[in-house]
Amino acid sequence: MILVTRINGAVFALNPDLVERVDCTPDTVVTLVDGTKYVISESVPEFIDSVRHYRASLIAQASRMEAEPTAIVPSSEDDDQDHDAKVLPLHRKER
């Protein structure tokens, strides 16, 4: 999540993965994929920098996690629990 500021000064967190576009009209208007619009006080370049830093931090965190050794839990044959992931089919509603 990134922090952005509404025109009235209220700060809120926004998920940049849901952003469809950002327009300068002259205020900065962020449009989400569901059509929700937010007018923010940050400029378009400032908003893009925030998104860039957010995504870079995710990649850096993932790199750190890959570098850390993972603990391997030994499995016992006496264990009756099935720890394998299950795939469940999804069904679409007919329209």
Side-chain angles (χ1 to χ4, degrees):
M1 300 286 246
I2 61 171
L3 295 178
V4 292
T5 309
R6 292 179 188 256
I7 293 294
N8 67 4
V11 176
F12 69 101
L14 178 70
N15 183 347
D17 295 331
L18 299 178
V19 173
E20 179 180 314
R21 70 177 181 267
V22 181
D23 299 307
C24 183
T25 62
D27 294 324
T28 304
V29 179
V30 178
T31 305
L32 304 185
V33 294
D34 68 353
T36 304
K37 294 182 185 235
Y38 295 105
V39 179
I40 61 172
S41 61
E42 289 83 6
S43 67
V44 172
E46 289 172 327
F47 181 81
I48 291 170
D49 282 343
S50 294
V51 172
R52 184 178 294 124
H53 283 79
Y54 166 75
R55 293 199 172 139
S57 71
L58 291 179
I59 293 169
Q61 180 64 29
S63 296
R64 283 191 295 272
M65 290 174 71
E66 286 179 359
E68 294 175 1
T70 57
I72 299 174
V73 178
S75 63
S76 70
E77 294 180 21
D78 297 334
D79 193 7
D80 290 349
Q81 294 179 355
D82 185 12
H83 294 289
D84 292 335
K86 303 264 191 271
V87 176
L88 300 175
L90 298 177
H91 301 285
R92 291 183 174 251
K93 284 186 177 180
E94 302 257 347
R95 292 184 181 186

